[in-house]
Amino acid sequence: MTDATTVLTGDGQPAGPGQRDSYLNHGKGVLSWLFTLDHKRIGIMYLAVILASFFLGGVFAMFIRTELLTPGQTIMTADTYNKMFTLHGAVMIFLFIIPGIPATLGNFVLPLMLGAKDVALPRLNLASFWLWLIGASVAVASIIIGAVDTGWTFYTPYSTTTGTAVVAMTLGAFILGFSSIFTGLNFIVTIHKMRPEGMTWFRMPLFLWGIYSTAIIQVLATPVLGITLLLLIAERTLGVGIFDPALGGDPVLYQHFFWFYSHPAVYIMILPAMAIMSEVISVFSGKHIFGYRFIAWSSIAIALLSFLVWGHHMFTSGQSSLTNMIFSALTFSVAIPSAVKVFNWLATMYKGSIRLAAPMLYALSFLFLFAIGGLTGLFLGSLSTDIHLHDTYFVVAHFHYVMFGGTVIAFLAGIHYWWPKIFGRMYSERWAQVSALLIFVGFNLTFFTQFVMGSHGMPRRYYNYLERFTAYHQASTVGSFILMIGFLIMAGYLLHSLVRGERAPANPWGGATLEWETASPPPYFNFEHEMQAGDPYDLDALSWDPSIKGYVRRDPSSVLAAPRGAD
Amino acid sequence: MTENAHLETDGLAVDHHFENADQQYQSAKLGMWVFLATEILFFGGLFVAYSVYRLNHPEVFIFGHHFLDKSLGALNTVILICSSLTAAWAVRAAQLKQIRMLKGMLLLTMLFAFGFLGVKAVEYNSKWKHGLLWAREYHPHVDHEEASEILITKEDFETGAVEGVVEDVTALQKVGDGVLAETETVLIEEAPAAAPAAEANRSTIAPAAEGPPGLATQGTEESSEKVIEVEPANAQTFFSIYFLMTGLHGIHVLGGIGAFMWLYLSARRGYFSTGHFTRVDMVALYWHVVDLIWIYLFLLLYLIE
């Protein structure tokens, strides 16, 4: 065993995770998990509940796609169908994709990247998780009380008049919003106050820049959703007449309020995905990230621009044409920082030694799908084309290319990238590649056909459709089944790896950020030593050690902080 | 928390993941400021709603604000400003480990906060009695005694006392007696819009010029003053916004009371004898923001022209 691995596993203890103290075996029993303040365990709990939500949302999606296999009734009534697409949207957005990356991978990785023992406010972190549980329970309870059929946007005046459980669902989303705010707040404080020696703002891993930008949006936009949903609840329960035209209110004001949050919210979803991309692409290209500062600033730019474009959801709501033009122009401007990122990733890959391991396969899928998703956003941002495409399947396809093809695919890249670190086990690379391929093919079959039928005028959210759309709908449904098989395979090999997977080395991929400097899975206090940070993309500082099937630092002392008097 | 090994640094306990007490304090402070930013944005939605409706329908706000009691509002403003002083004093006392002073200041702050809620309760009660509630529950039935103060009387028109109060009507006031007929016409035109929900009991205040002064059939013996109904369309919006903003603020005051109570109990347990003052500092910061929001509410709801 080299000096490096001694550092990695610490105190001369054997490297087997079975005997070694890790966060997974530090404290036993359900309560030691539910009331833990450890960011890693909170991250794992989030991962479990968020994947359960993803499964639930996925089941709703499969029902929708199956119903659309034929025109007219296939397996459910029109009312049930309305509930299905609302629940699919609400569960996927509020329960899964908004908290998705920050609360799971962010929670786990962020303090490790900082060489810190925990996030700055661990109790708030646990509170955030509990708020998620409470909010999710209330939201899911609405399904039993009377599943909402308004669409996930809860537009007034329908949402103030429908007989379904809008109050429960929006109250759930309101509570989930606080969970999201507290996570973001915690990350802002942690990044500001807990960076290790040597980690200036521009020596932070880009993952942290992405999470930081996300946190800014979470903190500044989510309260507005909070008050909006509170007003909607007050409208339904008390009749305050802010949004209800029957009482002198303005339903379009609701749309403004809603999108003032919900447009920035799509950047809450995509920025952490981009954050993962910056790590994975550099490591699996074996090259220093290209254009570090541009990627960092583009995250901030996206966060700020995200607050200025909400009106593009409302081009057909009767806004003045001047307003429309301004929002349209601002919408185009978001394409600039997004493209800056994509070009920098491509430049990072250029002449790199690319390894097509599972995380990189997903990263490449992301580049392909996000490019389509992002560019079709420009079709929708242009006034003339949007009038034609508004509320068609084109919008649905665009949204899924960005959110699924972007965020979910990057989330999968991140899961595969950090899985060995989180659980200390390797998964089956071969099956991971099979599943990545199935997901890529299934996804494109599902949603590319929706671009085509949308541009031919198939409206979104319709239960029935004209005969000429049948082929597209059936192709889309077949695609969704392929997608589902891909995910089932993934669930299979990931669960298998937890039990039978090969033990993971500290650094299986050769990443230079600090989380790879500690054992897999990390010990309870994260690091055996005080860490100091160097260049997070200096991949040449690492070399492959076949004896541990992992990478080791050529000079392990380069990341160890000088002993401090105070400690 | 058993999981938190407490280290002694400069006499203060520090959670295990911090290097020193200063880092811990700075983290708490930044976290609190970020949280306060979210609070501002939370109220921001209501301020935007206020602005949108006021810009589009200024007459609704000018009409509605006559029903708010400026002196009670001013009293509450003074109460809250005093409570901010005592809250700030409490922080100082905690920093200096003056535990008796700290407890006294916390109690005073809570007293002020309860006083604020008491005054608010009086105001809400009077709105409740007169049916001046939010949109769906808006069924005004104002006593004549009070109506004479807040509604525009014929004398006001004749003496020109209401100059500028109700823009729609000001242009007409100089015409003198002849104005009444015209005002009535205006009102009749507005009437259908005024009651979109077609509620017959929307207003029980007698319409303006049913007869010459002194012949009014409604009201009490003092009602020789003729009340002119100048309620604009959607007057209920003002009261919706009033109750939403002051109600949400009131909930924050309640939260503040809870937080001060927690501090007080901690002080009694001797928590602050060790020199910890972060908690007091954080709660006081929150309290200042609650006060600040009230000052804006007072200006925007009570003191508009």
Side-chain angles (χ1 to χ4, degrees), chain B residues 11-30:
Chain B
L12 288 182
V14 178
D15 283 349
H16 78 84
H17 57 291
F18 287 114
E19 281 168 30
N20 52 50
D22 184 56
Q23 189 189 25
Q24 177 160 326
Y25 173 69
Q26 296 297 339
S27 301
K29 194 138 192 170
L30 177 63

mmCIF file with all atom_site columns, all heavy atoms in Angstrom, chain B residues 11-30:
data_model
loop_
_atom_site.group_PDB
_atom_site.id
_atom_site.type_symbol
_atom_site.label_atom_id
_atom_site.label_alt_id
_atom_site.label_comp_id
_atom_site.label_asym_id
_atom_site.label_entity_id
_atom_site.label_seq_id
_atom_site.pdbx_PDB_ins_code
_atom_site.Cartn_x
_atom_site.Cartn_y
_atom_site.Cartn_z
_atom_site.occupancy
_atom_site.B_iso_or_equiv
_atom_site.pdbx_formal_charge
_atom_site.auth_seq_id
_atom_site.auth_comp_id
_atom_site.auth_asym_id
_atom_site.auth_atom_id
_atom_site.pdbx_PDB_model_num
ATOM 1   N N   . GLY B 1 11 ? -13.877 30.583 24.614 1.00 0.00 ? 11 GLY B N   1
ATOM 2   C CA  . GLY B 1 11 ? -14.944 30.524 25.608 1.00 0.00 ? 11 GLY B CA  1
ATOM 3   C C   . GLY B 1 11 ? -16.303 30.169 25.039 1.00 0.00 ? 11 GLY B C   1
ATOM 4   O O   . GLY B 1 11 ? -17.269 30.065 25.776 1.00 0.00 ? 11 GLY B O   1
ATOM 5   N N   . LEU B 1 12 ? -16.399 29.988 23.717 1.00 0.00 ? 12 LEU B N   1
ATOM 6   C CA  . LEU B 1 12 ? -17.705 29.691 23.135 1.00 0.00 ? 12 LEU B CA  1
ATOM 7   C C   . LEU B 1 12 ? -17.719 28.283 22.557 1.00 0.00 ? 12 LEU B C   1
ATOM 8   O O   . LEU B 1 12 ? -16.736 27.848 21.964 1.00 0.00 ? 12 LEU B O   1
ATOM 9   C CB  . LEU B 1 12 ? -18.025 30.680 22.015 1.00 0.00 ? 12 LEU B CB  1
ATOM 10  C CG  . LEU B 1 12 ? -18.349 32.099 22.453 1.00 0.00 ? 12 LEU B CG  1
ATOM 11  C CD1 . LEU B 1 12 ? -18.693 32.931 21.241 1.00 0.00 ? 12 LEU B CD1 1
ATOM 12  C CD2 . LEU B 1 12 ? -19.491 32.109 23.442 1.00 0.00 ? 12 LEU B CD2 1
ATOM 13  N N   . ALA B 1 13 ? -18.838 27.602 22.737 1.00 0.00 ? 13 ALA B N   1
ATOM 14  C CA  . ALA B 1 13 ? -18.972 26.290 22.147 1.00 0.00 ? 13 ALA B CA  1
ATOM 15  C C   . ALA B 1 13 ? -19.152 26.440 20.641 1.00 0.00 ? 13 ALA B C   1
ATOM 16  O O   . ALA B 1 13 ? -19.886 27.311 20.185 1.00 0.00 ? 13 ALA B O   1
ATOM 17  C CB  . ALA B 1 13 ? -20.175 25.577 22.744 1.00 0.00 ? 13 ALA B CB  1
ATOM 18  N N   . VAL B 1 14 ? -18.469 25.590 19.883 1.00 0.00 ? 14 VAL B N   1
ATOM 19  C CA  . VAL B 1 14 ? -18.543 25.661 18.427 1.00 0.00 ? 14 VAL B CA  1
ATOM 20  C C   . VAL B 1 14 ? -18.968 24.299 17.907 1.00 0.00 ? 14 VAL B C   1
ATOM 21  O O   . VAL B 1 14 ? -18.452 23.283 18.352 1.00 0.00 ? 14 VAL B O   1
ATOM 22  C CB  . VAL B 1 14 ? -17.164 26.043 17.834 1.00 0.00 ? 14 VAL B CB  1
ATOM 23  C CG1 . VAL B 1 14 ? -17.228 26.061 16.324 1.00 0.00 ? 14 VAL B CG1 1
ATOM 24  C CG2 . VAL B 1 14 ? -16.731 27.393 18.365 1.00 0.00 ? 14 VAL B CG2 1
ATOM 25  N N   . ASP B 1 15 ? -19.898 24.292 16.986 1.00 0.00 ? 15 ASP B N   1
ATOM 26  C CA  . ASP B 1 15 ? -20.306 23.018 16.388 1.00 0.00 ? 15 ASP B CA  1
ATOM 27  C C   . ASP B 1 15 ? -19.118 22.392 15.664 1.00 0.00 ? 15 ASP B C   1
ATOM 28  O O   . ASP B 1 15 ? -18.250 23.095 15.157 1.00 0.00 ? 15 ASP B O   1
ATOM 29  C CB  . ASP B 1 15 ? -21.459 23.249 15.405 1.00 0.00 ? 15 ASP B CB  1
ATOM 30  C CG  . ASP B 1 15 ? -22.772 23.449 16.144 1.00 0.00 ? 15 ASP B CG  1
ATOM 31  O OD1 . ASP B 1 15 ? -22.791 23.197 17.363 1.00 0.00 ? 15 ASP B OD1 1
ATOM 32  O OD2 . ASP B 1 15 ? -23.759 23.848 15.509 1.00 0.00 ? 15 ASP B OD2 1
ATOM 33  N N   . HIS B 1 16 ? -19.143 21.069 15.583 1.00 0.00 ? 16 HIS B N   1
ATOM 34  C CA  . HIS B 1 16 ? -17.950 20.348 15.154 1.00 0.00 ? 16 HIS B CA  1
ATOM 35  C C   . HIS B 1 16 ? -17.455 20.744 13.778 1.00 0.00 ? 16 HIS B C   1
ATOM 36  O O   . HIS B 1 16 ? -16.277 20.647 13.487 1.00 0.00 ? 16 HIS B O   1
ATOM 37  C CB  . HIS B 1 16 ? -18.215 18.838 15.190 1.00 0.00 ? 16 HIS B CB  1
ATOM 38  C CG  . HIS B 1 16 ? -19.019 18.342 14.028 1.00 0.00 ? 16 HIS B CG  1
ATOM 39  N ND1 . HIS B 1 16 ? -18.447 18.027 12.818 1.00 0.00 ? 16 HIS B ND1 1
ATOM 40  C CD2 . HIS B 1 16 ? -20.340 18.158 13.872 1.00 0.00 ? 16 HIS B CD2 1
ATOM 41  C CE1 . HIS B 1 16 ? -19.382 17.644 11.975 1.00 0.00 ? 16 HIS B CE1 1
ATOM 42  N NE2 . HIS B 1 16 ? -20.547 17.720 12.583 1.00 0.00 ? 16 HIS B NE2 1
ATOM 43  N N   . HIS B 1 17 ? -18.369 21.188 12.910 1.00 0.00 ? 17 HIS B N   1
ATOM 44  C CA  . HIS B 1 17 ? -17.944 21.416 11.538 1.00 0.00 ? 17 HIS B CA  1
ATOM 45  C C   . HIS B 1 17 ? -17.400 22.815 11.298 1.00 0.00 ? 17 HIS B C   1
ATOM 46  O O   . HIS B 1 17 ? -17.033 23.150 10.186 1.00 0.00 ? 17 HIS B O   1
ATOM 47  C CB  . HIS B 1 17 ? -19.087 21.121 10.571 1.00 0.00 ? 17 HIS B CB  1
ATOM 48  C CG  . HIS B 1 17 ? -20.320 21.922 10.838 1.00 0.00 ? 17 HIS B CG  1
ATOM 49  N ND1 . HIS B 1 17 ? -21.101 21.741 11.950 1.00 0.00 ? 17 HIS B ND1 1
ATOM 50  C CD2 . HIS B 1 17 ? -20.886 22.931 10.150 1.00 0.00 ? 17 HIS B CD2 1
ATOM 51  C CE1 . HIS B 1 17 ? -22.114 22.588 11.919 1.00 0.00 ? 17 HIS B CE1 1
ATOM 52  N NE2 . HIS B 1 17 ? -22.005 23.318 10.850 1.00 0.00 ? 17 HIS B NE2 1
ATOM 53  N N   . PHE B 1 18 ? -17.371 23.622 12.342 1.00 0.00 ? 18 PHE B N   1
ATOM 54  C CA  . PHE B 1 18 ? -16.791 24.963 12.187 1.00 0.00 ? 18 PHE B CA  1
ATOM 55  C C   . PHE B 1 18 ? -15.393 24.993 12.781 1.00 0.00 ? 18 PHE B C   1
ATOM 56  O O   . PHE B 1 18 ? -15.080 24.253 13.716 1.00 0.00 ? 18 PHE B O   1
ATOM 57  C CB  . PHE B 1 18 ? -17.653 26.001 12.894 1.00 0.00 ? 18 PHE B CB  1
ATOM 58  C CG  . PHE B 1 18 ? -18.938 26.287 12.185 1.00 0.00 ? 18 PHE B CG  1
ATOM 59  C CD1 . PHE B 1 18 ? -20.153 25.957 12.763 1.00 0.00 ? 18 PHE B CD1 1
ATOM 60  C CD2 . PHE B 1 18 ? -18.938 26.880 10.933 1.00 0.00 ? 18 PHE B CD2 1
ATOM 61  C CE1 . PHE B 1 18 ? -21.343 26.206 12.113 1.00 0.00 ? 18 PHE B CE1 1
ATOM 62  C CE2 . PHE B 1 18 ? -20.126 27.132 10.277 1.00 0.00 ? 18 PHE B CE2 1
ATOM 63  C CZ  . PHE B 1 18 ? -21.334 26.801 10.861 1.00 0.00 ? 18 PHE B CZ  1
ATOM 64  N N   . GLU B 1 19 ? -14.581 25.891 12.221 1.00 0.00 ? 19 GLU B N   1
ATOM 65  C CA  . GLU B 1 19 ? -13.224 25.989 12.741 1.00 0.00 ? 19 GLU B CA  1
ATOM 66  C C   . GLU B 1 19 ? -13.184 26.815 14.011 1.00 0.00 ? 19 GLU B C   1
ATOM 67  O O   . GLU B 1 19 ? -12.398 26.555 14.908 1.00 0.00 ? 19 GLU B O   1
ATOM 68  C CB  . GLU B 1 19 ? -12.314 26.623 11.692 1.00 0.00 ? 19 GLU B CB  1
ATOM 69  C CG  . GLU B 1 19 ? -11.889 25.646 10.622 1.00 0.00 ? 19 GLU B CG  1
ATOM 70  C CD  . GLU B 1 19 ? -11.238 26.348 9.453  1.00 0.00 ? 19 GLU B CD  1
ATOM 71  O OE1 . GLU B 1 19 ? -10.615 27.410 9.658  1.00 0.00 ? 19 GLU B OE1 1
ATOM 72  O OE2 . GLU B 1 19 ? -11.375 25.839 8.322  1.00 0.00 ? 19 GLU B OE2 1
ATOM 73  N N   . ASN B 1 20 ? -13.995 27.850 14.075 1.00 0.00 ? 20 ASN B N   1
ATOM 74  C CA  . ASN B 1 20 ? -13.976 28.695 15.269 1.00 0.00 ? 20 ASN B CA  1
ATOM 75  C C   . ASN B 1 20 ? -15.307 29.412 15.414 1.00 0.00 ? 20 ASN B C   1
ATOM 76  O O   . ASN B 1 20 ? -16.169 29.349 14.530 1.00 0.00 ? 20 ASN B O   1
ATOM 77  C CB  . ASN B 1 20 ? -12.824 29.706 15.201 1.00 0.00 ? 20 ASN B CB  1
ATOM 78  C CG  . ASN B 1 20 ? -12.851 30.480 13.894 1.00 0.00 ? 20 ASN B CG  1
ATOM 79  O OD1 . ASN B 1 20 ? -13.892 31.005 13.514 1.00 0.00 ? 20 ASN B OD1 1
ATOM 80  N ND2 . ASN B 1 20 ? -11.732 30.529 13.203 1.00 0.00 ? 20 ASN B ND2 1
ATOM 81  N N   . ALA B 1 21 ? -15.447 30.094 16.545 1.00 0.00 ? 21 ALA B N   1
ATOM 82  C CA  . ALA B 1 21 ? -16.721 30.731 16.849 1.00 0.00 ? 21 ALA B CA  1
ATOM 83  C C   . ALA B 1 21 ? -17.058 31.824 15.850 1.00 0.00 ? 21 ALA B C   1
ATOM 84  O O   . ALA B 1 21 ? -18.222 32.044 15.521 1.00 0.00 ? 21 ALA B O   1
ATOM 85  C CB  . ALA B 1 21 ? -16.678 31.310 18.263 1.00 0.00 ? 21 ALA B CB  1
ATOM 86  N N   . ASP B 1 22 ? -16.023 32.489 15.361 1.00 0.00 ? 22 ASP B N   1
ATOM 87  C CA  . ASP B 1 22 ? -16.295 33.576 14.424 1.00 0.00 ? 22 ASP B CA  1
ATOM 88  C C   . ASP B 1 22 ? -16.909 33.040 13.137 1.00 0.00 ? 22 ASP B C   1
ATOM 89  O O   . ASP B 1 22 ? -17.887 33.586 12.627 1.00 0.00 ? 22 ASP B O   1
ATOM 90  C CB  . ASP B 1 22 ? -14.996 34.325 14.112 1.00 0.00 ? 22 ASP B CB  1
ATOM 91  C CG  . ASP B 1 22 ? -15.261 35.519 13.217 1.00 0.00 ? 22 ASP B CG  1
ATOM 92  O OD1 . ASP B 1 22 ? -16.100 36.355 13.621 1.00 0.00 ? 22 ASP B OD1 1
ATOM 93  O OD2 . ASP B 1 22 ? -14.689 35.593 12.118 1.00 0.00 ? 22 ASP B OD2 1
ATOM 94  N N   . GLN B 1 23 ? -16.356 31.937 12.638 1.00 0.00 ? 23 GLN B N   1
ATOM 95  C CA  . GLN B 1 23 ? -16.909 31.355 11.404 1.00 0.00 ? 23 GLN B CA  1
ATOM 96  C C   . GLN B 1 23 ? -18.366 30.945 11.621 1.00 0.00 ? 23 GLN B C   1
ATOM 97  O O   . GLN B 1 23 ? -19.220 31.153 10.757 1.00 0.00 ? 23 GLN B O   1
ATOM 98  C CB  . GLN B 1 23 ? -16.072 30.136 10.997 1.00 0.00 ? 23 GLN B CB  1
ATOM 99  C CG  . GLN B 1 23 ? -16.426 29.609 9.618  1.00 0.00 ? 23 GLN B CG  1
ATOM 100 C CD  . GLN B 1 23 ? -15.747 28.280 9.320  1.00 0.00 ? 23 GLN B CD  1
ATOM 101 O OE1 . GLN B 1 23 ? -15.403 27.519 10.218 1.00 0.00 ? 23 GLN B OE1 1
ATOM 102 N NE2 . GLN B 1 23 ? -15.548 28.007 8.043  1.00 0.00 ? 23 GLN B NE2 1
ATOM 103 N N   . GLN B 1 24 ? -18.622 30.398 12.801 1.00 0.00 ? 24 GLN B N   1
ATOM 104 C CA  . GLN B 1 24 ? -19.994 29.977 13.104 1.00 0.00 ? 24 GLN B CA  1
ATOM 105 C C   . GLN B 1 24 ? -20.937 31.179 13.140 1.00 0.00 ? 24 GLN B C   1
ATOM 106 O O   . GLN B 1 24 ? -22.028 31.160 12.572 1.00 0.00 ? 24 GLN B O   1
ATOM 107 C CB  . GLN B 1 24 ? -20.002 29.266 14.452 1.00 0.00 ? 24 GLN B CB  1
ATOM 108 C CG  . GLN B 1 24 ? -21.388 28.847 14.885 1.00 0.00 ? 24 GLN B CG  1
ATOM 109 C CD  . GLN B 1 24 ? -21.339 27.756 15.939 1.00 0.00 ? 24 GLN B CD  1
ATOM 110 O OE1 . GLN B 1 24 ? -20.464 26.901 15.928 1.00 0.00 ? 24 GLN B OE1 1
ATOM 111 N NE2 . GLN B 1 24 ? -22.284 27.780 16.850 1.00 0.00 ? 24 GLN B NE2 1
ATOM 112 N N   . TYR B 1 25 ? -20.472 32.248 13.803 1.00 0.00 ? 25 TYR B N   1
ATOM 113 C CA  . TYR B 1 25 ? -21.306 33.442 13.906 1.00 0.00 ? 25 TYR B CA  1
ATOM 114 C C   . TYR B 1 25 ? -21.550 34.052 12.529 1.00 0.00 ? 25 TYR B C   1
ATOM 115 O O   . TYR B 1 25 ? -22.684 34.395 12.167 1.00 0.00 ? 25 TYR B O   1
ATOM 116 C CB  . TYR B 1 25 ? -20.621 34.454 14.837 1.00 0.00 ? 25 TYR B CB  1
ATOM 117 C CG  . TYR B 1 25 ? -21.313 35.793 14.875 1.00 0.00 ? 25 TYR B CG  1
ATOM 118 C CD1 . TYR B 1 25 ? -22.568 35.927 15.471 1.00 0.00 ? 25 TYR B CD1 1
ATOM 119 C CD2 . TYR B 1 25 ? -20.714 36.912 14.307 1.00 0.00 ? 25 TYR B CD2 1
ATOM 120 C CE1 . TYR B 1 25 ? -23.208 37.158 15.492 1.00 0.00 ? 25 TYR B CE1 1
ATOM 121 C CE2 . TYR B 1 25 ? -21.347 38.141 14.332 1.00 0.00 ? 25 TYR B CE2 1
ATOM 122 C CZ  . TYR B 1 25 ? -22.593 38.267 14.917 1.00 0.00 ? 25 TYR B CZ  1
ATOM 123 O OH  . TYR B 1 25 ? -23.236 39.471 14.936 1.00 0.00 ? 25 TYR B OH  1
ATOM 124 N N   . GLN B 1 26 ? -20.468 34.146 11.743 1.00 0.00 ? 26 GLN B N   1
ATOM 125 C CA  . GLN B 1 26 ? -20.609 34.736 10.403 1.00 0.00 ? 26 GLN B CA  1
ATOM 126 C C   . GLN B 1 26 ? -21.562 33.910 9.534  1.00 0.00 ? 26 GLN B C   1
ATOM 127 O O   . GLN B 1 26 ? -22.344 34.461 8.758  1.00 0.00 ? 26 GLN B O   1
ATOM 128 C CB  . GLN B 1 26 ? -19.242 34.831 9.716  1.00 0.00 ? 26 GLN B CB  1
ATOM 129 C CG  . GLN B 1 26 ? -18.239 35.749 10.396 1.00 0.00 ? 26 GLN B CG  1
ATOM 130 C CD  . GLN B 1 26 ? -18.697 37.195 10.406 1.00 0.00 ? 26 GLN B CD  1
ATOM 131 O OE1 . GLN B 1 26 ? -19.536 37.586 9.609  1.00 0.00 ? 26 GLN B OE1 1
ATOM 132 N NE2 . GLN B 1 26 ? -18.174 37.986 11.329 1.00 0.00 ? 26 GLN B NE2 1
ATOM 133 N N   . SER B 1 27 ? -21.488 32.584 9.675  1.00 0.00 ? 27 SER B N   1
ATOM 134 C CA  . SER B 1 27 ? -22.384 31.731 8.887  1.00 0.00 ? 27 SER B CA  1
ATOM 135 C C   . SER B 1 27 ? -23.832 31.965 9.276  1.00 0.00 ? 27 SER B C   1
ATOM 136 O O   . SER B 1 27 ? -24.712 32.105 8.423  1.00 0.00 ? 27 SER B O   1
ATOM 137 C CB  . SER B 1 27 ? -22.032 30.259 9.098  1.00 0.00 ? 27 SER B CB  1
ATOM 138 O OG  . SER B 1 27 ? -20.719 30.024 8.724  1.00 0.00 ? 27 SER B OG  1
ATOM 139 N N   . ALA B 1 28 ? -24.070 32.023 10.585 1.00 0.00 ? 28 ALA B N   1
ATOM 140 C CA  . ALA B 1 28 ? -25.437 32.244 11.041 1.00 0.00 ? 28 ALA B CA  1
ATOM 141 C C   . ALA B 1 28 ? -25.952 33.580 10.528 1.00 0.00 ? 28 ALA B C   1
ATOM 142 O O   . ALA B 1 28 ? -27.089 33.702 10.064 1.00 0.00 ? 28 ALA B O   1
ATOM 143 C CB  . ALA B 1 28 ? -25.488 32.206 12.563 1.00 0.00 ? 28 ALA B CB  1
ATOM 144 N N   . LYS B 1 29 ? -25.071 34.578 10.585 1.00 0.00 ? 29 LYS B N   1
ATOM 145 C CA  . LYS B 1 29 ? -25.500 35.918 10.194 1.00 0.00 ? 29 LYS B CA  1
ATOM 146 C C   . LYS B 1 29 ? -25.819 35.969 8.704  1.00 0.00 ? 29 LYS B C   1
ATOM 147 O O   . LYS B 1 29 ? -26.861 36.492 8.296  1.00 0.00 ? 29 LYS B O   1
ATOM 148 C CB  . LYS B 1 29 ? -24.393 36.918 10.538 1.00 0.00 ? 29 LYS B CB  1
ATOM 149 C CG  . LYS B 1 29 ? -24.865 38.341 10.491 1.00 0.00 ? 29 LYS B CG  1
ATOM 150 C CD  . LYS B 1 29 ? -24.319 39.131 11.660 1.00 0.00 ? 29 LYS B CD  1
ATOM 151 C CE  . LYS B 1 29 ? -25.023 40.463 11.757 1.00 0.00 ? 29 LYS B CE  1
ATOM 152 N NZ  . LYS B 1 29 ? -24.727 41.191 12.974 1.00 0.00 ? 29 LYS B NZ  1
ATOM 153 N N   . LEU B 1 30 ? -24.936 35.398 7.882  1.00 0.00 ? 30 LEU B N   1
ATOM 154 C CA  . LEU B 1 30 ? -25.202 35.398 6.441  1.00 0.00 ? 30 LEU B CA  1
ATOM 155 C C   . LEU B 1 30 ? -26.493 34.640 6.153  1.00 0.00 ? 30 LEU B C   1
ATOM 156 O O   . LEU B 1 30 ? -27.331 35.085 5.361  1.00 0.00 ? 30 LEU B O   1
ATOM 157 C CB  . LEU B 1 30 ? -24.022 34.767 5.691  1.00 0.00 ? 30 LEU B CB  1
ATOM 158 C CG  . LEU B 1 30 ? -24.220 34.640 4.180  1.00 0.00 ? 30 LEU B CG  1
ATOM 159 C CD1 . LEU B 1 30 ? -24.365 36.014 3.551  1.00 0.00 ? 30 LEU B CD1 1
ATOM 160 C CD2 . LEU B 1 30 ? -23.063 33.889 3.538  1.00 0.00 ? 30 LEU B CD2 1
#
